[in-house]
Amino acid sequence: MSDGGTIRCRDLVIGAGRDPHVPDVFRELPADRLIHSTRYCTRIAQVPADRPLRTVVVGGAQSAAEMFMALHQDLPLSRPTLLVRSVGLQNYQTSKFVNELFFPSFVDDFFDSAPEIRAEILHEMHLTNYAGLAEPFLDELYSMLYQQKMLGKQRSAVRAMTEIISARVDGDDVVLELRDRRSGKVEPLRCDLVLLGTGYEPRMPALVRDLAGRLGLADITVNRRYRVDLDDSAWGAVYLQGVNERTHGISDSLISVLAHRSQDILADLLDRRAASVATSVAWSA
C-alpha cells in the first residue's frame, strides 16, 4: 500500500491496466516536457494557460486526437501540431458484422483457437479498437482544420507520413528531428511541450511481472476464467483483468465484457471454495 501498510488475502484480482508506452526516442526528455495521455488532465492543469506554447501531439488514434483538440481550449494561446506516422487519420471499423467480435460469446471461440490464429484475428481487428478515431469526432476535427484554412487563421496542423527519429532539449526548446516518409527529408521541429498518444505496452504490466517473479513463474498464462496458472497445490489465486488480449480477444480491456469477466472470476472463486470445503470434509471423515 502507498502508506506502507500490508493487506493479506487469499485471492487477488488485478485490474490496474497496462503500463503507458513511451517510445525510446522520447525517454531522454525531461519529465516536465513530456505528457502521456494517461496523465493529460492532471498535467495540463499545471501548464500556464497564458503562454503561446508550441505543443506537439504524437499519435494517430483517438487519445492523440482528443488531446490535440483539447489543447485548443485548455491552452488557448498554444499552436498545436499533430504528428501521424501513417498516411492520415482513419476512422474505426464499426460495422455490425465486426462488432459481433466484441460479443461475450466470441471470447470462448477466441480462447479455444490456436495461438497463431489468435494473433491473425487480433491483427485483422486492429482498426476496430486501435489506430482509429470515432467517425463523428474525425469529422469535427477535419471541419476545425478546414475552417482555419478558409479563414486564413491556421493555428494548428496535422502532419501525416511523419516519423520522429530523435528528441532532445536545446536551450529552452525541445527539438524533434522529423523524417518525411515520402521524400526522406529530415528537418527539425522546435516546440515547448510533447504529448504522447502512443498507447500502452503490449506486455504484462510491471506490477504483474514483479509478482510473477516473486512466485517463481517463468511465464504468465491465465485459464479461461482469468486465473493465473499456478502450481496445483497453491492455496490462493491471482486473477488478471484487462491484460489478456492475446488469449481472450480484443474486447478484454473494454467494458463490453466487463460483467461477464466478473461473473467468470466470481464463479471460479466459488468453485474453488466449494472444492476446498469438500476436501476438508473428506479429510476429517
Side-chain angles (χ1 to χ4, degrees), residues 1-278:
M1 296 177 62
S2 59
D3 62 359
T6 301
I7 295 178
R8 296 184 179 276
C9 62
R10 172 173 175 169
D11 302 301
L12 176 64
V13 180
I14 300 177
R18 296 188 183 276
D19 298 328
H21 173 58
V22 178
D24 290 339
V25 70
F26 300 108
R27 293 189 185 276
E28 298 303 318
L29 291 184
D32 63 339
R33 297 298 190 98
L34 197 64
I35 300 177
H36 191 273
S37 61
T38 53
R39 302 191 63 195
Y40 177 83
C41 291
T42 302
R43 291 284 309 282
I44 208 67
Q46 301 169 357
V47 178
D50 59 349
R51 293 172 53 193
L53 298 175
R54 299 159 296 175
T55 55
V56 171
V57 182
V58 180
Q62 188 78 18
S63 295
E66 286 182 358
M67 288 192 294
F68 176 70
M69 289 289 281
L71 285 170
H72 291 78
Q73 284 74 47
D74 295 335
L75 300 180
L77 300 182
S78 67
R79 298 182 63 85
T81 298
L82 177 62
L83 302 180
V84 183
R85 192 179 186 280
S86 65
V87 294
L89 298 172
Q90 304 179 62
N91 60 284
Y92 287 127
Q93 294 177 359
T94 57
S95 77
K96 292 181 173 60
F97 294 98
V98 171
N99 283 344
E100 289 191 3
L101 302 180
F102 291 86
F103 289 179
S105 56
F106 184 71
V107 178
D108 287 324
D109 295 334
F110 189 87
F111 187 86
D112 292 335
S113 300
E116 60 273 17
I117 301 301
R118 294 176 189 161
E120 289 178 11
I121 294 173
L122 287 176
H123 177 72
E124 292 177 13
M125 293 182 67
H126 191 68
L127 267 177
T128 64
N129 192 43
Y130 302 114
L133 283 73
E135 190 168 358
F137 183 64
L138 193 60
D139 291 340
E140 179 186 353
L141 194 158
Y142 187 88
S143 295
M144 180 195 71
L145 295 172
Y146 182 78
Q147 289 176 14
Q148 288 183 9
K149 182 178 180 180
M150 293 300 295
L151 295 174
K153 299 177 181 179
Q154 199 72 42
R155 173 187 172 188
S156 45
V158 175
R159 296 181 57 167
M161 296 289 285
T162 301
E163 194 171 52
I164 303 168
I165 58 178
S166 71
R168 58 186 171 84
V169 173
D170 179 24
D172 292 332
D173 294 344
V174 172
V175 182
L176 305 178
E177 293 289 337
L178 307 182
R179 185 177 73 86
D180 187 311
R181 295 181 60 208
R182 290 161 292 199
S183 66
K185 180 182 178 182
V186 175
E187 61 179 346
L189 174 65
R190 290 182 175 268
C191 61
D192 300 296
L193 189 63
V194 178
L195 299 98
L196 301 180
T198 48
Y200 300 86
E201 292 285 350
R203 59 180 177 170
M204 285 291 179
L207 172 67
V208 176
R209 300 198 310 271
D210 178 69
L211 179 59
R214 294 170 184 268
L215 294 173
L217 298 178
D219 190 26
I220 305 170
T221 57
V222 296
N223 66 11
R224 174 59 184 83
R225 286 176 161 182
Y226 306 95
R227 173 158 43 95
V228 175
D229 294 325
L230 303 174
D231 186 274
D232 292 337
S233 62
W235 179 70
V238 177
Y239 298 86
L240 300 183
Q241 282 243 18
V243 292
N244 305 300
E245 196 174 82
R246 287 187 301 173
T247 53
H248 288 70
I250 202 166
S251 64
D252 187 65
S253 62
L254 307 179
I255 61 174
S256 57
V257 296
L258 178 60
H260 292 266
R261 287 204 306 264
S262 302
Q263 181 184 32
D264 288 337
I265 292 175
L266 179 60
D268 194 71
L269 284 166
L270 294 176
D271 288 347
R272 288 179 48 248
R273 295 292 172 88
S276 178
V277 170

